[in-house]
Amino acid sequence: MERRTLLRAAILGGSTAVLGGTLWRGAAYAAPAQPGTGPYGALGSADANGVRLPGGFTSRVIARSGQQVSGTSYTWHNAPDGGACYADGAGWIYVSNSEINPSGGASAVRFSSAGAVTGAYRILSGTRQNCAGGRTPWNTWLSCEEVSLGYVYEADPWGVNAAVRRDAMGRFKHEAAAADPVREVVYLTEDETNGCLYRFVPTTWGSGSLSAGTLQVLVAGTATSGSFTWANVPDPDGSPTTTRTQVSGAKKFNGGEGCHYADDTVWFTTKGDNRVWQLDLASSTYELAYDDSLVTSGTAPLTGVDNITGTSSGDLFVAEDGGTMDICVITPDDVIAPFLRVDGQSGSEITGPAFSPDGTRLYFSSQRGTSGSSSGGITYEVKGPFRS
């Protein structure tokens, strides 16, 4: 995937704007009144599930908080949040965190090759406010506690092996994790207004490797683009001095959220300033991939940035916490547009976007559903002709 320049074109609420080169770097821009949509076309009317989708796509409800998952005796958790998919023979598994405190944890739903639900079960218990996380190359789930001095837990999506707390990955207000198999590290976001971006360098790489290693923090200037380095965090335990304040020159990010790695690039979101950042790991440089503060007319296409994932086509899918309850797509040629919208749930947020292994189904949740309460969460599946 090539995304080595700043965002060049955006679909802004039915208008198209050019954001590249000196215009992006220099000053704010105005969106000309030209109609436009993303690669999947315009959103249709809300379906029976309240989901607005492009033509050719359909949705179904997989689970509801406090209710048994269809065809199983397992009761789905409250406040579903970050998620990931895993191949399971000819079928697959979708894992979902629970962002409640206390309890938290994570659950899983198993699917057959035809997409039928064949089981649901708990994979992590007794933790606090498990927000996002990330999958590992050895097919485990890193579940992150979004609390002060929170931990990362490594859980088994199949629910066979007991989850393990990974103390070496640091204690802070964890949000998301993204594994980089090339450099053999894991990137970690921090949900603080003056949070940092970290990477964990395990002593060895592979199954069971996250028990020991070095926690590092990104060091860079205050600008929105430039070069960066990594510095060791002296005390990953974060007490009495928080990890984000231990290293001079550590770059601060306003509310780190989702994180995604692909092709020598890390993308992560910051909700406090509604930005999507990208790190070019090959050149050790960083820049913005999206910043709604540069929109001076029209409507910003993406607000309340949160979880982020990607596809083999190079598309990024970014979920909104609030906003208009969209999942937006950012294409490799930097067009941004809503892919789906959930109607009638303004008191909720979109969480946990993840694709089935074959790329034909997208899973996500509305954390609080129509009720606006953590007990009202709804987990969905969208099926259709995704770009490959």
Side-chain angles (χ1 to χ4, degrees):
M1 184 191 312
E2 290 296 326
R3 195 183 302 269
R4 299 294 183 250
T5 60
L6 292 172
L7 192 64
R8 291 184 296 274
I11 306 303
L12 303 177
S15 298
T16 301
V18 178
L19 309 184
T22 57
L23 179 61
W24 173 274
R25 298 175 188 273
Y29 62 89
Q34 299 176 12
T37 55
Y40 294 102
L43 301 182
S45 300
D47 64 12
N49 300 316
V51 182
R52 298 179 59 189
L53 294 162
F57 290 86
T58 59
S59 78
R60 66 167 171 160
V61 173
I62 297 301
R64 294 180 183 272
S65 295
Q67 299 183 22
Q68 291 183 348
V69 178
S70 178
T72 79
S73 60
Y74 183 75
T75 300
W76 197 236
H77 55 261
N78 288 346
D81 206 284
C85 281
Y86 300 80
D88 179 41
W92 58 92
I93 293 168
Y94 177 65
V95 166
S96 170
N97 276 345
S98 175
E99 195 188 9
I100 58 174
N101 187 10
S103 296
S107 304
V109 180
R110 179 176 277 135
F111 299 88
S112 71
S113 60
V117 174
T118 60
Y121 46 90
R122 195 77 169 176
I123 67 168
L124 176 64
S125 299
T127 56
R128 303 170 296 162
Q129 202 162 322
N130 297 75
C131 196
R135 58 171 295 165
T136 68
W138 46 92
N139 290 323
T140 58
W141 170 242
L142 300 180
S143 185
C144 297
E145 289 185 316
E146 190 196 359
V147 294
S148 178
L149 298 179
Y151 290 102
V152 175
Y153 289 80
E154 187 171 12
D156 175 14
W158 285 262
V160 174
N161 299 310
V164 180
R165 196 176 77 188
R166 297 304 188 189
D167 295 17
M169 300 185 79
R171 297 192 68 186
F172 52 88
K173 201 173 183 181
H174 283 278
E175 182 70 31
D180 176 353
V182 177
R183 291 153 197 86
E184 299 185 344
V185 301
V186 179
Y187 304 98
L188 302 160
T189 56
E190 181 177 26
D191 193 357
E192 298 276 8
T193 56
N194 61 339
C196 293
L197 182 73
Y198 303 87
R199 73 173 185 179
F200 178 68
V201 186
T203 304
T204 60
W205 184 250
S207 180
S209 65
L210 302 181
S211 60
T214 302
L215 184 69
Q216 299 180 325
V217 66
L218 185 139
V219 175
T222 59
T224 55
S225 64
S227 60
F228 67 85
T229 57
W230 298 98
N232 292 349
V233 176
D235 180 16
D237 188 56
S239 180
T241 304
T242 59
T243 55
R244 65 185 181 277
T245 58
Q246 292 181 27
V247 176
S248 176
K251 185 167 179 61
K252 305 303 181 182
F253 296 97
N254 190 351
E257 290 286 337
C259 192
H260 175 68
Y261 167 85
D263 298 335
D264 293 332
T265 306
V266 175
W267 290 270
F268 64 98
T269 62
T270 51
K271 66 181 180 184
D273 47 19
N274 206 52
R275 289 170 166 172
V276 181
W277 300 79
Q278 66 183 61
L279 304 184
D280 185 330
L281 300 169
S283 65
S284 293
T285 58
Y286 69 95
E287 62 183 1
L288 289 170
Y290 173 75
D291 182 2
D292 78 346
S293 69
L294 297 183
V295 179
T296 57
S297 69
T299 303
L302 176 59
T303 57
V305 297
D306 204 291
N307 293 167
I308 184 171
T309 191
T311 68
S312 59
S313 69
D315 290 335
L316 298 175
F317 285 75
V318 186
E320 289 188 338
D321 178 352
T324 48
M325 287 288 288
D326 292 350
I327 294 180
C328 287
V329 60
I330 304 177
T331 71
D333 55 353
D334 296 320
V335 170
I336 181 169
F339 167 73
L340 67 78
R341 179 170 298 159
V342 179
D343 281 354
Q345 300 186 29
S346 59
S348 186
E349 61 184 275
I350 300 292
T351 60
F355 283 89
S356 60
D358 65 1
T360 64
R361 302 169 194 249
L362 172 65
Y363 296 92
F364 69 95
S365 295
S366 170
Q367 189 179 81
R368 297 177 292 278
T370 56
S371 71
S373 166
S374 62
S375 61
I378 308 170
T379 299
Y380 301 89
E381 174 194 86
V382 168
K383 183 179 179 182
F386 289 100
R387 306 200 305 174
S388 59

